[in-house]
Amino acid sequence: YAAVATGFALAVTLPRAGNLAGGGFMVIHLAGGKKTIALDYREMAPMASERSMFLDKKGDADKQLSRYSALSSGVPGTVAGLVHAQANYGTLTLKEVIQPAIMLARDGFPVNVDLSNSLASRFERLSKNSASKSYFFKENGEFYQPGEFFVQTHLANTLERISKDGVSGFYEGHTAQLIVDEMRRLGGLISEDDLKNYRVVTREPVCGIFHKNTICAMPPPSSGGVHLIQMLNILEGWDLKSLGHNSAAYIHRLTEVMRRAYADRSAYLGDPDFYSVPIDQIVHKEYADSLRSGISLVKATASTDIQPGLGIDPETLILNSGHGDKESSETTHFSTWDRWGNVVSNTTTLNFSYGNGISIPGAGFLMNNEMDDFSAKPGTPNAFGLLGGAANAVEPYKRPLSSMTPAIVFDEKGLPLLVTGSPGGSTIITTVLQTILNVLVFEMGIAEASSVPRIHHQWFPDKLLFESGVSPDTLSILSDMGHDISDVDYVIGATQSIQRGSNGTILGAPDPRRPGAGAVPQ
């Protein structure tokens, strides 16, 4: 129940990413049955969606439509996902779990420095929508200052309806009508039937073995789990520890592996209810061996020389499934671990910080702009520079591809060892990868594993990004090897992780990159 309560509370206290009208993924380990499941509550494209909806008259992708208009909103999944998790795996009632969030919204909470700065920085975009302006700024237009109370009465009322009626308190009745009315007014596509037809999907997590540890993560429509396992498979063929953490030799290998995984992501990943994702082939150890054999250990590969590696035409994997009968860095992640060994890794998002900036009048919440995570046009990058093709094209009731990577690591006995995940758009997968390597290979405690500098490469653009703290000598060597290196003026990821120590102690570590993050013991 802690995970569900946290999800609803973040919808109140973290409006830029916590949400009621977004979506996400949850990986759950149930200690009693020694079972691990994956809950997919990702947004879905409305029924009226069609493949060319984000193209202009010239046939080019229109970023304004896919990112900032009402058309950019997919059918929300968050409420359905949280309620489903509580109903099937929780021990308290939904009313008990939501009550703290209702109180935070109705009574208000003190604004911290992070929220004050975040709202002020988005004033221009949020103030373009009258409902958003009224929700997030004072009546006279002034910003909320640190220490002032932030009250959200409309959001409290929406939460009350969910508390009373469950899923139907959001997807039907008054709240649903408010959403549909605003979509009609602004030219969005979400209808009453779209909301009624939303479904949470329980999927099998994608799992792999790395140095005798089992890693389980989210399967498609997340690309995270598949490529996390793929990259670990390739890296397992080298003695990484002997190279030294963040040495040039280590970072070179990481970069080349990331480059190849993201090339595969562009071609083969999509919603498995619409597209036959070749998961088994991508995560096969022999495929990893073949990719590793093509990596030079002394010279960078140009991304233009790398293509998706399976040698199959992605178009042949498209399913004829009709209408589905079967990420800005401002995503948020949290992990929970209870005294009985039940573990939850949950990542949720609106996509951009504050989604598309459009709030629902009378309901108190922002809409997502997750439709931008579809491939508006093959070969045209989305907001995070990620490329995609037919596998991730817009289709009615399809779920857009995501990089969110909630993950759980198990020891040789099958007991949870580490739970982690991160926000960060396209950097999420590589952030989770490096956190797991820091623990399993370099034997770091979770606080150190969460704080050391990270790197990122995603095939295109062909740049090796690095955080402050990587040795200048290392960077010079990497440059001489042919890497186009570039420091970042932002942080790469922000993990929220829990680790079981050698003596059985459960240790939580918030990433120091994100203000306001914390670890709270039971």
Side-chain angles (χ1 to χ4, degrees):
Y1 65 84
V4 176
T6 300
F8 279 115
L10 287 172
V12 180
T13 61
L14 191 69
R16 68 173 183 251
N19 64 81
L20 293 184
F25 299 129
M26 185 182 295
V27 177
I28 304 171
H29 176 68
L30 303 168
K34 294 184 178 180
K35 182 179 181 181
T36 304
I37 62 170
L39 284 189
D40 174 358
Y41 61 96
R42 181 73 160 146
E43 300 88 339
M44 297 170 64
M47 175 61 82
S49 303
E50 49 89 19
R51 184 168 294 201
S52 62
M53 63 187 288
F54 296 125
L55 302 183
D56 61 20
K57 293 180 180 179
K58 297 180 180 179
D60 296 324
D62 187 331
K63 297 177 182 178
Q64 183 65 34
L65 287 178
S66 66
R67 300 176 188 179
Y68 303 110
S69 75
L71 284 175
S72 69
S73 292
V75 183
T78 296
V79 173
L82 294 178
V83 173
H84 178 94
Q86 179 61 29
N88 288 275
Y89 310 110
T91 55
L92 301 181
T93 66
L94 182 62
K95 183 176 181 179
E96 289 174 309
V97 169
I98 295 183
Q99 191 57 38
I102 295 173
M103 293 174 63
L104 285 167
R106 195 172 298 288
D107 300 338
F109 62 92
V111 173
N112 61 22
V113 173
D114 179 56
L115 178 57
S116 176
N117 291 341
S118 175
L119 287 171
S121 70
R122 298 302 194 280
F123 175 76
E124 182 178 355
R125 183 156 71 91
L126 292 175
S127 63
K128 292 178 180 178
N129 178 265
S130 58
S132 294
K133 186 176 182 180
S134 69
Y135 292 153
F136 301 116
F137 305 99
K138 298 178 183 178
E139 288 187 13
N140 59 6
E142 290 183 355
F143 303 151
Y144 284 96
Q145 300 301 316
E148 295 181 337
F149 262 66
F150 184 34
V151 176
Q152 301 170 83
T153 303
H154 291 302
L155 180 57
N157 293 338
T158 296
L159 288 165
E160 288 274 14
R161 290 189 288 273
I162 299 169
S163 176
K164 178 177 179 290
D165 298 321
V167 169
S168 61
F170 184 86
Y171 293 89
E172 299 179 47
H174 185 62
T175 302
Q177 194 61 54
L178 292 174
I179 296 172
V180 172
D181 287 347
E182 189 64 0
M183 290 294 100
R184 286 173 178 162
R185 190 180 76 83
L186 296 179
L189 299 181
I190 298 174
S191 69
E192 292 95 334
D193 286 343
D194 290 333
L195 291 167
K196 288 181 182 179
N197 291 333
Y198 184 84
R199 296 292 182 269
V200 177
V201 181
T202 300
R203 303 188 187 276
E204 287 290 325
V206 57
C207 300
I209 305 294
F210 178 79
H211 292 333
K212 298 183 180 181
N213 296 104
T214 298
I215 295 89
C216 289
M218 196 69 203
S222 167
S223 61
V226 171
H227 296 303
L228 175 65
I229 302 303
Q230 177 189 23
M231 290 189 287
L232 287 170
N233 286 343
I234 303 171
L235 291 165
E236 193 174 31
W238 293 307
D239 182 1
L240 301 178
K241 189 173 184 179
S242 69
L243 301 176
H245 184 261
N246 277 358
S247 66
Y250 175 65
I251 292 177
H252 170 72
R253 286 165 172 77
L254 280 185
T255 302
E256 293 301 313
V257 168
M258 292 173 184
R259 196 193 308 268
R260 286 155 176 80
Y262 278 77
D264 283 354
R265 182 190 189 278
S266 73
Y268 307 127
L269 270 289
D271 184 342
D273 294 339
F274 288 73
Y275 183 81
S276 183
V277 182
I279 297 175
D280 291 343
Q281 292 169 268
I282 294 173
V283 302
H284 202 285
K285 295 282 189 180
E286 289 184 6
Y287 181 50
D289 293 342
S290 69
L291 292 176
R292 189 187 315 109
S293 67
I295 295 174
S296 167
L297 300 184
V298 295
K299 183 179 180 181
T301 311
S303 287
T304 51
D305 293 335
I306 297 294
Q307 296 298 318
L310 286 177
I312 55 178
D313 182 357
E315 292 281 357
T316 66
L317 300 172
I318 297 174
L319 300 176
N320 182 20
S321 58
H323 296 303
D325 298 330
K326 314 243 163 183
E327 332 306 275
S328 123
S329 61
E330 294 300 351
T331 297
T332 191
H333 178 87
F334 57 84
S335 302
T336 66
W337 190 318
D338 71 18
R339 70 191 73 180
W340 299 284
N342 299 300
V343 177
V344 173
S345 183
N346 187 87
T347 313
T348 182
T349 188
L350 285 166
N351 198 27
F352 283 14
S353 182
Y354 301 98
N356 55 17
I358 297 172
S359 290
I360 303 301
F365 56 79
L366 286 150
M367 293 301 293
N368 67 80
N369 59 347
E370 293 292 358
M371 296 291 284
D372 185 62
D373 277 356
F374 284 114
S375 298
K377 181 180 180 181
T380 299
N382 70 1
F384 303 105
L386 290 170
L387 298 175
N392 192 37
V394 182
E395 293 185 61
Y397 284 4
K398 192 176 186 179
R399 299 172 194 241
L401 189 61
S402 171
S403 295
M404 293 185 287
T405 315
I408 303 175
V409 179
F410 300 88
D411 64 16
E412 293 180 56
K413 297 180 181 179
L415 298 175
L417 180 66
L418 171 69
V419 53
T420 190
S422 179
S426 60
T427 70
I428 292 174
I429 310 172
T430 58
T431 293
V432 172
L433 170 70
Q434 289 168 87
T435 303
I436 291 174
L437 291 172
N438 291 344
V439 172
L440 297 186
V441 174
F442 297 101
E443 300 177 353
M444 297 181 188
I446 193 56
E448 181 183 8
S450 302
S451 63
V452 291
R454 300 179 182 128
I455 63 102
H456 174 73
H457 200 292
Q458 61 184 51
W459 186 44
F460 283 104
D462 191 352
K463 285 190 175 295
L464 168 55
L465 306 180
F466 65 91
E467 289 184 319
S468 173
V470 178
S471 164
D473 291 340
T474 294
L475 296 174
S476 178
I477 294 171
L478 289 166
S479 182
D480 289 343
M481 295 174 77
H483 292 285
D484 185 352
I485 61 173
S486 178
D487 62 341
V488 293
D489 57 2
Y490 54 86
V491 297
I492 297 177
T495 56
Q496 307 300 323
S497 309
I498 305 173
Q499 177 187 27
R500 175 168 54 83
S502 57
N503 62 354
T505 304
I506 306 302
L507 305 169
D511 196 312
R513 294 166 179 80
R514 173 156 287 193
V520 181
Q522 283 192 318

